[in-house]
Amino acid sequence: MNKKYVYMFDQGRGDKRELLGGKGANLAEMTRIGLPVPYGFTISTEACNAYYDAGKTISENIRQQILESLQNLEQQTGKTLGDPENPLLVSVRSGAVHSMPGMMDTVLNLGMNDETVEGMAKLTNNPRFAYDSYRRFIQMFSDVVLKVDGFYFEQLLEEVREEKGYETDPEMTAADWQEVIQGYKELVKKHTKSSFPQDPKEQMFLSVEAVFDSWNNQRAIVYRRLQKIPGHLGTAVNIQSMVFGNMGDDSGTGVAFTRNPSTGEAKLYGEYLINAQGEDVVAGIRTPQPIVTLQNEMPEVYEQFVDTCNLLEKHYQDMQDIEFTVERGQLFILQTRNGKRTAQAAIKVAVDLVEENILSKREALLRVDPDQLNQLLHSRIDDAFVRNPLTKGLPASPGAATGKVVFDADEADRLAKEEKKVILVRPETTPDDIHGIVAAQATVTSRGGMTSHAAVVARGMGKACICGCESVSIDLKEKRFKVGETIVKEGDVITIDGSTGEIFLGEIPMIDPQLSEEFQLLLTWADQERTLGVRANADNPEDAKKAVEFGAGGIGLCRTEHMFMDVARIPIVQQMILADTYEEREVALSKLLPMQQEDFEGIFEAMQGRPVTIRLLDPPLHEFLPDKEELLVDVTKLQMTSPESEELKQKEYLLRKVRQIDEFNPMLGHRGCRLGMTFPEIYEMQAKAIFYAISKMRTKGIDVKPEIMIPLVGHVNELKEMRRLVINAGVQIEQETGEDFDYLVGTMIEVPRAALTADQIAEEADFFSFGTNDLTQSTFGYSRDDAEGKFLQSYIESKVLPENPFAVLDQDGVGKLVETGVKLGRGTKPELKTGICGEHGGEKTSIEFCHEVGLDYVSCSPYRVPLARLAAAQATIKHELRQSVAEFQAQK
Ligand code: PEP
Ligand code: MG
């Protein structure tokens, strides 16, 4: 029996890519499921290889099979190739196993000749269209098949246009196109020494050969080499009947989504034009009709189209974006693909498809990109707005905001109290600026990266923030900033988009955040799937409440230094730092203790018994003191104006102190547990405040089990000592109150030595929390405050690094330390609780990694909690899917 080389579309299948190529397999699949795709046949990749084996000739056997298939196609369509009364026109396209876009050749409108063009002119009642199609065919065929350079045709067309005084093609009339056709035919004769082939079958075979040949053209070979596609695969050729939407008022063309791509509403959404080609819809010359009116104009077609949409959605289990054409009352689907959609639509479609029994809940969970959820939790710039940003920085915290520019935190605070909307613009922020960040709609800094102070604080509060915007040159004295030649003064209005890092002049229309029922439902499904806990980083009762509202299971990091920054407390904190004696420091600490206790009570109350991880003081002390340079300026001025004043004495004293504690490398300096080791009374005060707060909560019937966390431990002895200090404080308050406290003492793992000696550290720890901000800083040796502004961005752009490691966990390096830390720690203490509280805890790929290495929870800013819940669910599902594939393969 003869080997089969040619397959009608209804003889193939979607899984026969090797034989039919990607496009052929797809067309076969669409035909198989009953879609009205324009009919045709596929000449297999094996035929391509046979063509080459036979010295680039199509064997008689294959030739016969092609002719039989053509006959079949003619019967099915009722049209005949070359019939002037009712001509069949076809496209001839390549179709490799792996997509090689634009690398091989295509011929459209094949079957046109001097006679069929007349038939087309009559049938469409549009001679201009017919002649234009014919001249396009001659041009394409000559270029692809006859190898006459397209340039000659372009040149001729240009000449005719000029002669007629036209600027563009649409001005050409039918007679003009006839003239061009004549010229084209002469060109062919001149270059090939023979006439343009008029026999459509000859056209077809020549085209098939040309497509086979194009498998080995220069660009295809180079592309294959680059993409590592084997050269022996060959290409298939698809011959498909052309359909025309411009054959009268019973024809048309359009595009439609099976659901609304903006809202997700389960209602057809799209438009069409009667008696038109696809180009007419795109060109926008005529205004298309909304798809619903097709119901009145062509009721049967509409009904069939609706059925087709349902079929397609069921088959592809997703919302489809469909191109269709109606030719003399008959519907054809030209293309279908999964439709692009907004975040809101993505969620609604996924949830609805579950309710319609098309998707399972797990499949639906995988359909929504966790990053998209951010869009829904923050205001954003209206999609319709055409973006023309003034400049761009790092997208440090999502959301969009508009306001008047201010350059000072106090000013921001003052104006906000007057209900004014402001945007705080600073070279960088320090803990001193917190009230300004709180008061402003958004913050912009010209320095600092994704884990800089401004970024972390703004994310925690769900406020938009752009960092490291180096092109913004700020003049604090003149109260203005410059971007190139543009000057923005205090009080000028700007809009920022923290999701893209863009800054715009003036006010821009916004869309408010929406939390739909579907959104909540999807997250409940996520909670049922995930095994990874999700906590929040929160430092005050408001953030804690937000965290609970967004579904956090507890607090994974409460940074106590943020509480020290309250304007009312700063003088007491400074008193504590500046104290020369233990006794002096005790006075300040005894004032701070009740304040801290109140803070903890507020948080415990908001968390209603959920776990709360409280980290004892972490940053270098100079962060709480005035700026050294500002002090120096003040002192110099005072020395000149009032050399005897009390103020000068005070400032000189302060300057001396600031100089004493000043460090070259504060990030590697006297911070974290090193502070607790040298000033144990500070940690002791904090521990006592926690215990008093537990006792107070009990009177309100709230049971609290805090997790007290020691930062920046590098050696087990540090933790041993700090743990003892906390426990002693606990015993003391237990004796005082007569109560028993249930709590944990653990550590952050945020320097490489801690991860590498985690087995020893675990002896003293009830839990580990990976501080991957510092761990990234200390593993790479990149300053987390400077690297992004200085060189990291260019590293990322030039692909030295694949991602910003402060935003996306570097799994190969930092991740290896996390994994090592977990293994070593659990080797010592199998029940050791582990989590992550660096910024990576709110990033989807890092969350998946955390799941894979067996962490118990991730902790991130409250506004990222929904994202983390979904990403954690996806991590569980993906892991299980991978596992079942592996098991299946092992069984085989
Ligand atoms: C960290 O280092 O990852 C961390 C959470 O602590 P901070 O950002 O406060 O240094
Ligand atoms: Mg840290």
Side-chain angles (χ1 to χ4, degrees), residues 659-703:
R659 279 182 167 151
Q660 259 173 27
I661 58 172
D662 192 30
E663 293 176 290
F664 283 114
N665 280 319
M667 271 295 183
L668 296 176
H670 196 185
R671 57 176 287 228
C673 66
R674 300 156 206 172
L675 281 175
M677 295 290 286
T678 44
F679 303 114
E681 54 277 21
I682 300 181
Y683 274 19
E684 193 183 329
M685 177 278 286
Q686 293 195 291
K688 284 182 178 167
I690 296 170
F691 293 121
Y692 282 129
I694 307 178
S695 169
K696 182 72 180 286
M697 280 302 105
R698 286 192 176 158
T699 62
K700 293 192 173 181
I702 300 170
D703 191 29

Side-chain angles (χ1 to χ4, degrees), residues 25-26 47 76 186 239 255 336 342 416 427 444 446 478 492 506 555 577 602 611 671 686 721 736 756 810 821 877 891:
N26 244 340
Q76 292 276 343
E186 281 160 24
I239 298 194
V255 285
T336 182
T342 62
V444 175
S446 56
E478 294 296 323
D492 289 353
I555 288 180
I577 298 168
R671 57 176 287 228
Q686 293 195 291
E721 204 159 313
E736 217 177 277
L756 296 170
D810 158 51
I877 299 169
Q891 277 168 10

Side-chain angles (χ1 to χ4, degrees), residues 559 615 618 671 711-712 748 750 771 773-775 784:
R559 291 176 164 103
R615 179 179 74 184
D618 179 59
R671 57 176 287 228
L712 225 71
M748 294 193 73
E750 48 185 346
N773 301 335
D774 273 310
L775 194 57
R784 58 192 266 197

Side-chain angles (χ1 to χ4, degrees), residues 561-576:
E561 58 270 18
H562 289 175
M563 302 161 169
F564 279 24
M565 282 300 159
D566 190 283
V567 207
R569 296 187 193 177
I570 274 284
I572 312 173
V573 174
Q574 289 182 346
Q575 195 187 345
M576 169 188 93

Side-chain angles (χ1 to χ4, degrees), residues 87 111-122 127 130-134 181:
M112 293 206 87
N113 59 21
D114 293 351
E115 290 179 352
T116 51
V117 71
E118 302 303 335
M120 278 294 287
K122 252 190 260 152
Y131 295 123
D132 184 14
S133 304
Y134 187 26
I181 289 166

Side-chain angles (χ1 to χ4, degrees), residues 34 97 255 520 584 587 593 804 858:
V97 178
V255 285
Q520 308 282 8
E584 264 182 53
V587 174
L593 192 146
N804 178 348
V858 294

Side-chain angles (χ1 to χ4, degrees), residues 162-363:
E162 231 162 69
E163 189 190 300
K164 311 267 171 199
Y166 301 150
E167 296 270 320
T168 55
D169 284 355
E171 294 165 73
M172 302 278 282
T173 63
D176 296 333
W177 285 128
Q178 276 178 301
E179 193 182 323
V180 172
I181 289 166
Q182 202 47 43
Y184 277 9
K185 288 205 288 198
E186 281 160 24
L187 261 181
V188 171
K189 185 115 193 209
K190 181 170 155 212
H191 286 272
T192 65
K193 309 281 177 271
S194 37
S195 306
F196 186 79
Q198 290 291 314
D199 174 2
K201 284 187 183 142
E202 185 191 349
Q203 293 174 353
M204 181 177 70
F205 283 112
L206 286 173
S207 301
V208 172
E209 284 177 0
V211 173
F212 281 159
D213 287 344
S214 72
W215 173 251
N216 276 331
N217 71 26
Q218 190 70 22
R219 55 181 202 274
I221 291 173
V222 172
Y223 184 85
R224 283 204 295 274
R225 200 178 304 140
L226 283 175
Q227 300 292 325
K228 301 201 166 49
I229 299 173
H232 68 263
L233 293 176
T235 180
V237 181
N238 298 293
I239 298 194
Q240 188 178 21
S241 60
M242 305 267 314
V243 290
F244 297 93
N246 55 348
M247 290 226 174
D249 284 346
D250 54 356
S251 303
T253 188
V255 285
F257 286 85
T258 51
R259 294 168 196 242
N260 185 317
S262 303
T263 62
E265 194 190 357
K267 212 165 148 193
L268 270 185
Y269 179 91
E271 51 195 25
Y272 70 100
L273 267 176
I274 288 291
N275 197 11
Q277 284 274 84
E279 292 106 78
D280 303 328
V281 180
V282 181
I285 300 164
R286 286 164 54 195
T287 310
Q289 300 283 312
I291 196 87
V292 282
T293 59
L294 189 66
Q295 194 166 10
N296 302 330
E297 283 197 276
M298 298 183 186
E300 276 168 33
V301 169
Y302 183 78
E303 208 172 299
Q304 194 193 352
F305 185 63
V306 171
D307 289 347
T308 306
C309 288
N310 292 337
L311 184 73
L312 275 171
E313 279 206 342
K314 284 212 176 72
H315 187 71
Y316 291 101
Q317 297 183 313
D318 204 353
M319 179 239 268
Q320 296 295 298
D321 168 1
I322 302 170
E323 284 175 29
F324 68 94
T325 284
V326 182
E327 186 187 273
R328 288 187 280 183
Q330 201 180 345
L331 174 72
F332 292 99
I333 303 296
L334 303 184
Q335 166 142 268
T336 182
R337 58 187 160 202
N338 293 344
K340 295 242 177 308
R341 64 205 77 180
T342 62
Q344 188 195 345
I347 291 172
K348 176 146 176 61
V349 169
V351 170
D352 285 355
L353 288 176
V354 172
E355 277 161 11
E356 292 164 30
N357 286 324
I358 294 175
L359 283 187
S360 70
K361 287 181 185 168
R362 298 185 118 211
E363 285 165 329

